[in-house]
Amino acid sequence: MSSSSDPTVRQTPPVAATGDATDTILATQQLTKKFGGLTAVDTVDFTVEEGEIRCLIGPNGAGKSTLLELITGQLRPTNGEIYFDGQDLTDLEPHERIDTGISVKFQSPHVYENLSVEQNLQIPLQRTDRDVDSVMATTLEQIALTDKAKMRAGDLSHGQQQRLEIGMALTLDPTLMLLDEPVAGMSVEETSEVAELIESLHADGMAFVVVEHDMEFVREISDQVTVLNQGQIFRQGSIEEIESDEDVRRIYLGENA
Ligand code: ADP
Ligand code: MG
């Protein structure tokens, strides 16, 4: 008699079960979010390996932002679980999830326009016991805004504001960074600056989940790509596999054609 389909006996996180070379840092199990009659995220088993850059793509309304907001705790799932670093996050508050090592830059901008660049970075830093001066200096350098430290955030360019927001997430010293459309509306040059920033943080071991429509950007940074469609994982693979997949072209690339 198999008990594997009985949800009441599923006690051990899937991450602890494997002993292979790669370690899963994030795993959702049967994760589901319904908004009334609409199932925005539908029984999703989504896993991310330690230190990888995963890109999440899919048509508008596929459920990408909802999936990220379930992972950060902004939204509560209708069903399913979320494990991070072997810990069950499902019932934790957003700030408790941050403390486990997850940082996020949401789709809509969240910088404080009337504060300086430096003051914006100080806000998330207040909740840590990290050394403010040294983290500030390092972060400003990473996001290439050292010479703009005293500038009002509202006076920065769009690209600089996006980098500042990534910087705010960085001050929390995450092991996993979630970025929702980090290069939307950016110039080619601004986009490649963000790609470089992600690559250099990745080289230091940080894992990423990046939601993005810009396929050139996805090609540049991704290890693996997950395609979401109508709330479900539709495909997963290398960018080459995804781009040559006829069904993906139909549901996703066709939309932009
Ligand atoms: P994506 O980020 O892939 O474009 P979303 O996750 O934003 O998609 O949305 C997925 C679906 O859920 C869409 O149909 C959207 O309209 C719906 N949705 C998202 N947030 C809410 C909400 N707070 N209330 C009701 N419906 C929502
Ligand atoms: Mg979205």
Side-chain angles (χ1 to χ4, degrees), residues 59-66 69 107 180-181 211 213:
N60 281 325
K64 305 180 296 296
S65 294
T66 303
E69 287 168 23
Q107 188 166 355
D180 199 347
E181 305 202 9
V211 172
H213 290 286

Side-chain angles (χ1 to χ4, degrees), residues 19-23 49-50:
D20 25 46
T22 56
D23 283 317
E49 304 303 310
E50 220 167 64

Side-chain angles (χ1 to χ4, degrees), residues 240-252:
E240 293 79 16
E241 288 166 336
I242 295 302
E243 284 196 304
S244 62
D245 189 304
E246 291 288 325
D247 295 329
V248 172
R249 297 177 85 91
R250 203 170 54 240
I251 63 126
Y252 176 73

Side-chain angles (χ1 to χ4, degrees), residues 73-166:
Q74 256 62 36
L75 290 172
R76 288 303 166 119
T78 309
N79 214 336
E81 292 96 47
I82 303 157
Y83 297 97
F84 179 69
D85 212 3
Q87 192 183 348
D88 186 347
L89 297 189
T90 317
D91 295 323
L92 297 189
E93 296 296 327
H95 70 270
E96 294 173 312
R97 300 187 194 198
I98 289 171
D99 293 339
T100 68
I102 299 179
S103 278
V104 62
K105 190 204 84 62
F106 289 111
Q107 188 166 355
S108 47
H110 277 76
V111 301
Y112 299 90
E113 296 195 345
N114 288 318
L115 299 182
S116 70
V117 166
E118 228 168 35
Q119 288 168 327
N120 269 276
L121 292 173
Q122 271 160 6
I123 290 171
L125 261 174
Q126 280 166 3
R127 54 167 297 107
T128 73
D129 51 12
R130 305 184 79 201
D131 180 70
V132 174
D133 291 342
S134 76
V135 175
M136 180 73 69
T138 309
T139 309
L140 284 168
E141 202 162 304
Q142 285 173 314
I143 61 177
L145 289 178
T146 306
D147 59 342
K148 307 269 188 305
K150 307 284 183 206
M151 200 190 251
R152 185 179 163 273
D155 293 334
L156 296 173
S157 72
H158 172 67
Q160 290 166 341
Q161 286 190 9
Q162 294 283 312
R163 288 213 305 277
L164 172 56
E165 211 180 326
I166 294 173

Side-chain angles (χ1 to χ4, degrees), residues 53 55 195-196 198-199 210 216-223:
I53 301 180
C55 285
E196 272 172 40
I198 292 173
E199 297 278 12
V210 184
E216 202 158 315
F217 179 74
V218 169
R219 218 172 287 130
E220 195 172 336
I221 64 166
S222 65
D223 292 319

